[in-house]
Amino acid sequence: MKLVVDENIAYAEETFSGYGEVILSHGRKITNAMLHDADALIVRSITKVNQELLHDTKVKFVGTATIGVDHVDLDYLAEQGIAFSDAKGCNADAVTEYVYTLIAKFLVDNGWTPRETTLGIIGRGNIGSRIAKLAPYLGLKVLVNDPPLQRQGVRYPFASLEDTLQADILTIHTPLTMTGKDKTFHLLSRGTLGKARNIKFLINASRGETADKDALLVLTTERRIPLALDVWENEPHISADILNAVKYASPHIAGYSLEGKINGTMIMKQALDAHLNRTDGFMIASPPVVNNHIVISSERPIIEILNAAAQFVYNIEKDTALLKKGIAMDEMTRGKYFDTLRKEYELRREFTNYTIELRPFNLEKAIMLRAFRFTVV
């Protein structure tokens, strides 16, 4: 059996070598010729999987170790009888922690209290639902918009998009859909964001094309609203003007925790095992975190405690400084630099690996931290 696998999938060679020959390749360099005699293809979001890539190949299984599938032509796979699996939920905790790291930093840096802040969440999938569930532990008010789920009869106090846009902080967590009633391409447009009269901070960690770059530029340059972008239109060839304008920038790594990567790889393996009707009990063991003890005074406000803990784990300023070095580069060089940052990114560890010592111990604040999956002593 021959498998072609994106080289940036964690533990790819160790995980899939038991099936046969494994060809590792950069995701943007996987070609039809490379797949001519391959039986399986496992990719990430940067590889477009369609007829052009797969025609006249032996591929009978395609997996994407990502939560999004807009890079995969699912109709073509179904027509050709090619089995498919994605990794929905694999890095949901990592993205949730990324978002709350930004929210906590924004609130603390600007002297806001959670109880006077409304959080608007567009999309209540694996990530949006986690973000909404954690908000009450901080005292944040929440508005959640998800028309598809609402039409399905999901029991939840959904808000309209118009109402959600009145939140102080807006974060979007939808898939990218180009057409139809629930089209999310440029969901955040000039018209949409023009209705966001109360917005103070916007986060996009879903897909770059869900937000119109020009609309974001108006929001941040004319209305002076800070932006945090992990995803960008036309990745990896992102524009210098929007990169220069954002407050916080990262190269599509919101979900890049070691745990999330391992989850994605194992989901792919389990799906391939099911396709082949086999199993071997293989598991990936994650290494322990060495510097994982955090001491925080419990006399600090609850949002400051979360901010201190989150900043200990992840420094968004470092990612921002690195990515903004690309402003002075030409577009082609900037694109290569973006991909290099993603490929060589030092994977974060999730909150569950860290122990917080509250001095003195405070039960209310310990409950909050434990909700965010920290260990508290």
Side-chain angles (χ1 to χ4, degrees), residues 149-170:
L149 287 184
Q150 190 170 9
R151 287 199 304 272
Q152 290 171 23
V154 173
R155 296 176 62 85
Y156 189 83
F158 290 106
S160 67
L161 179 60
E162 290 73 16
D163 287 344
T164 304
L165 289 169
Q166 302 317 307
D168 302 296
I169 299 174
L170 190 65

Side-chain angles (χ1 to χ4, degrees), residues 180-207:
K181 188 173 185 177
D182 298 308
K183 182 179 76 170
T184 61
F185 175 76
H186 284 186
L187 177 61
L188 299 183
S189 63
R190 290 196 186 197
T192 304
L193 292 176
K195 299 174 184 177
R197 293 181 293 273
N198 301 318
I199 189 170
K200 307 296 189 301
F201 186 38
L202 185 147
I203 303 167
N204 189 3
S206 56
R207 284 290 186 264

